[in-house]
Amino acid sequence: MGSHCNGNAVLFLSSILVLLGLFVWMRQRKQGFFYGRYRLESSSDTWVQIPGKVAWIIQELPSFVVPALLIYQSGSLDTLGSKLLLFLFCGHYFHRTWIYGYFTRGGSVHISFVLQSILFCTWNGYLQGHNLIYCTSYDDSWTTDFRFLFGILLFLMGMAANIHSDNLLRKLREPGDLSYKIPRGGLFEYISAANYFGEIVEWFGYSLATWTYPAFAFALFTALCLGSRAVLHHRFYQQMFQEYPKSRKALIPLLF
Ligand code: NDP
């Protein structure tokens, strides 16, 4: 561990992330978080609804900017940790912020959710960034270690599945349309939440490749948050469409 590493803070923030994941999972078992199809519909608070594109760009931005600033502040891209941070973590959030955010056809998002997301992305961006830059060092042999290679493979496959599935969802709508249709194609033939499955695989791959507790805590958070939301989406489709494919599972092909 380097002298700048705040190990206690990393341990604390990571553990809180796991607890937050459990809290979100318990809360979402009944009601999805207030965005997307579960958004707050009260007309009296339309002034606090932020257009989807703007919301996704500003709420996800800290996950890209905070680690990028930490890399800049550290003044070095020499370590494997900072390279992993830049190319995997920042790469994901560059896409999520600028490309997903710009092209989304999703509806507006309540300001309270946007503020919560900004807080979360700042916290997680700092945690992952600080940990990889200041608290983690790798031997030269790490780049040929099975965990690193398999982790990177999982990350890339998960990211491809996530982006492909999000694109399939986007194409279900014309601009301005906010209705829901049965997703078809790709992994959606097997599961209702193909984009979530991709995202979960991605972050478990990242935690394997980095082999750090904060990355594992974030993967766990993602699985708890998106897993419970996937169950709600699945139920939503089954209730909304009588013709919804019976063999389709919620999150894990053929299993669940
Ligand atoms: P959803 O699958 O709920 O929605 C994705 C987009 O597709 C939204 O614009 C949504 O519109 C639209 N959409 C969804 N289903 C349909 C349908 N059946 N017919 C037409 N349009 C549809 O994903 P989220 O909004 O929850 O998440 C977006 C991305 O962010 C995902 O890639 C997800 O993996 C990621 N994410 C990651 C988290 C993490 O913990 N790492 C947490 C949350 C999200 P609308 O918004 O109007 O419903």
Side-chain angles (χ1 to χ4, degrees):
M1 270 192 201
S3 56
H4 291 101
C5 172
N6 191 340
N8 287 338
V10 165
L11 195 63
F12 178 73
L13 292 177
S14 305
S15 302
I16 296 288
L17 200 53
V18 175
L19 292 178
L20 187 67
L22 285 170
F23 169 76
V24 169
W25 175 72
M26 283 169 63
R27 190 171 149 187
Q28 286 210 121
R29 284 167 64 202
K30 292 195 186 115
Q31 166 68 53
F33 266 116
F34 305 130
Y35 72 97
R37 67 200 74 186
Y38 317 108
R39 71 175 58 85
L40 296 171
E41 293 295 357
S42 159
S43 57
S44 61
D45 64 5
T46 45
W47 65 275
V48 286
Q49 301 284 345
I50 298 189
K53 283 184 197 299
V54 180
W56 277 90
I57 290 174
I58 60 174
Q59 76 191 22
E60 303 294 314
L61 192 59
S63 283
F64 171 71
V65 167
V66 172
L69 282 177
L70 286 174
I71 292 173
Y72 177 74
Q73 189 192 33
S74 77
S76 154
L77 242 191
D78 293 345
T79 64
L80 180 62
S82 30
K83 287 186 181 115
L84 284 172
L85 179 65
L86 183 69
F87 292 111
L88 301 188
F89 193 86
C90 291
H92 170 96
Y93 279 105
F94 179 84
H95 171 270
R96 174 71 68 231
T97 304
W98 298 112
I99 301 176
Y100 178 85
Y102 181 77
F103 287 107
T104 183
R105 291 180 181 162
S108 57
V109 184
H110 196 274
I111 194 169
S112 63
F113 187 80
V114 174
L115 292 175
Q116 284 173 43
S117 302
I118 290 174
L119 191 65
F120 178 85
C121 289
T122 305
W123 161 13
N124 192 42
Y126 175 80
L127 173 62
Q128 306 299 335
H130 179 84
N131 181 59
L132 274 185
I133 293 172
Y134 296 114
C135 307
T136 315
S137 63
Y138 297 98
D139 292 340
D140 289 345
S141 62
W142 184 249
T143 49
T144 52
D145 191 290
F146 174 76
R147 289 164 292 181
F148 177 81
L149 295 171
F150 188 55
I152 298 278
L153 183 69
L154 280 183
F155 179 89
L156 294 176
M157 283 170 46
M159 189 168 179
N162 175 257
I163 292 175
H164 180 242
S165 308
D166 275 337
N167 282 341
L168 290 175
L169 289 177
R170 187 166 49 84
K171 285 181 189 155
L172 290 173
R173 289 176 176 169
E174 294 300 321
D177 175 17
L178 287 179
S179 65
Y180 291 94
K181 303 170 181 84
I182 299 181
R184 306 264 184 206
L187 284 173
F188 282 114
E189 295 302 321
Y190 306 95
I191 44 178
S192 298
N195 52 343
Y196 292 171
F197 174 75
E199 179 108 17
I200 292 168
V201 168
E202 197 179 338
W203 291 119
F204 275 107
Y206 179 76
S207 78
L208 202 57
T210 58
W211 204 248
T212 62
Y213 177 43
F216 179 67
F218 180 47
L220 213 52
F221 171 88
T222 301
L224 289 164
C225 172
L226 296 185
S228 48
R229 201 168 159 84
V231 172
L232 291 177
H233 279 18
H234 190 58
R235 215 177 288 154
F236 170 91
Y237 289 130
Q238 286 174 326
Q239 285 167 0
M240 188 162 181
F241 303 106
Q242 277 188 344
E243 70 277 27
Y244 198 67
K246 298 269 180 293
S247 60
R248 202 177 285 192
K249 302 288 183 191
L251 181 66
I252 305 174
L254 308 174
L255 292 178
F256 171 71

